[in-house]
Amino acid sequence: QVVDAIKDLVQDCNFDCNDSGIALQAMDNSHVALVAMHLKTEGFSQYRCDRNIALGVNLASLQKVLRAAQNEDLLTLKAEDAPDVLSLVFENSENDRISEYDIKLMDIDQEHLGIPDTEYGATVTLPSAEFQRICRDLMLISESVGIEATKEGIKFSCAGDIGSGAVTLRQNANVDKPELSTTIELQEPVALTFSLKYLVNFCKATGLSSTVTLSLSNEVPLLIEYKMEHGFVRFYLAPKIGD
Amino acid sequence: QAGQKGIMSFFQKK
């Protein structure tokens, strides 16, 4: 699911393995968006990493191999020191099937970007499916969306050749199903414009989490986070600026 | 893209 979520944004990337788990940071080709992923060791039934290692992987190749796994298979990832290949083993404990695949690794000279700690002006958590719906609906009308956070709520608006549209979400607490709540923490009003093409792309991570958190400040990249039980996928998107 | 900022104008190389 993680590979599915990011494979259309980045093609080749390093999986950085160390004591804390497997991490990845990569920009898209146009250098407008950045994806950062972390799978913590606690999320693995077994995890061993004797030495920090970067596994340079073509995500399309990895995806091809992962398609060979069944949903409930146990997956083991293995790489030696200075590896040429990443080994994947899929096991089905019920019928004792073991599938073994190797994918070739590549040297990827990937620069890491320092992401400054930011006190965001607005932090909004909403159901991830709702966010996906809004992005898809608005993309049919325009290529850009204005996101405005005020004490009234968060407003997504766009205008295109056929007309215009806007969706406003107000803070709303669902006691029975907290994952359906919308929470808005506002330090100061925020108004920014983003390319919908990227937002729709990020929504491929919707299956990772029932909620998504948008963190916004004026004139800095939008942070979109899908939290998992033992890790996260974060997308950063640079804003568009006015004419 | 006109008006689209790049991510590297916000995040510096380490």
Side-chain angles (χ1 to χ4, degrees):
Chain A
Q1 279 185 303
V2 170
V3 172
D4 265 340
I6 63 175
K7 71 176 189 333
D8 296 323
L9 200 65
V10 291
Q11 284 74 49
D12 300 324
C13 57
N14 281 324
F15 285 85
D16 297 311
C17 305
N18 61 38
D19 278 347
S20 73
I22 302 179
L24 173 158
Q25 193 205 77
M27 280 185 284
D28 77 303
N29 276 339
S30 55
H31 291 194
V32 167
L34 180 86
V35 54
M37 175 214 82
H38 195 200
L39 303 175
K40 295 177 189 164
T41 51
E42 305 93 274
F44 297 86
S45 57
Q46 278 185 58
Y47 186 93
R48 211 191 86 216
C49 184
D50 301 335
R51 203 170 315 197
N52 294 359
I53 194 168
L55 304 172
V57 172
N58 174 273
L59 290 182
S61 307
L62 180 57
Q63 172 69 2
K64 283 180 189 171
V65 169
L66 287 173
R67 277 167 174 269
Q70 307 288 311
N71 260 349
E72 303 304 319
D73 281 0
L74 288 174
L75 164 63
T76 306
L77 300 163
K78 286 186 291 190
E80 295 178 5
D81 256 350
D84 296 324
V85 296
L86 169 65
S87 300
L88 297 100
V89 181
F90 312 131
E91 289 174 81
N92 178 328
S93 53
E94 282 169 11
N95 64 3
D96 286 336
R97 170 176 46 76
I98 297 178
S99 312
E100 294 173 291
Y101 291 86
D102 282 349
I103 58 169
K104 291 176 188 165
L105 294 174
M106 51 210 290
D107 276 326
I108 300 172
D109 188 18
Q110 214 158 42
E111 53 213 2
H112 280 248
L113 299 183
I115 299 167
D117 283 335
T118 305
E119 291 276 338
Y120 286 97
T123 303
V124 181
T125 300
L126 70 155
S128 57
E130 176 125 65
F131 179 60
Q132 181 176 47
R133 178 81 201 265
I134 292 169
C135 292
R136 284 180 176 174
D137 289 346
L138 297 184
M139 195 161 108
L140 300 178
I141 293 174
S142 173
E143 61 182 36
S144 298
V145 60
I147 305 181
E148 232 180 310
T150 64
K151 56 182 194 309
E152 313 301 324
I154 181 164
K155 184 174 182 182
F156 301 86
S157 55
C158 72
D161 292 342
I162 64 158
S164 61
V167 180
T168 303
L169 299 177
R170 294 203 178 83
Q171 176 137 300
N172 127 3
N174 189 318
V175 181
D176 297 328
K177 294 183 177 171
E179 71 276 13
L180 297 179
S181 296
T182 298
T183 61
I184 302 173
E185 289 167 43
L186 192 75
Q187 309 299 324
E188 57 178 6
V190 179
L192 289 155
T193 303
F194 297 99
S195 165
L196 278 163
K197 178 180 75 174
Y198 290 94
L199 296 179
V200 166
N201 203 328
F202 302 160
C203 287
K204 290 175 181 165
T206 299
L208 295 175
S209 173
S210 58
T211 63
V212 61
T213 299
L214 315 181
S215 300
L216 303 115
S217 273
N218 289 316
E219 286 160 47
V220 305
L222 163 68
L223 163 59
I224 298 188
E225 181 175 36
Y226 294 87
K227 269 199 187 77
M228 299 173 284
E229 195 185 351
H230 299 293
F232 60 76
V233 174
R234 292 177 186 155
F235 299 100
Y236 296 87
L237 179 61
K240 293 178 106 171
I241 48 167
D243 299 330
Chain B
Q1 287 173 26
Q4 175 63 65
K5 300 276 270 178
I7 199 83
M8 287 171 82
S9 49
F10 302 97
F11 302 156
Q12 311 301 320
K13 281 183 205 175
K14 266 189 192 168

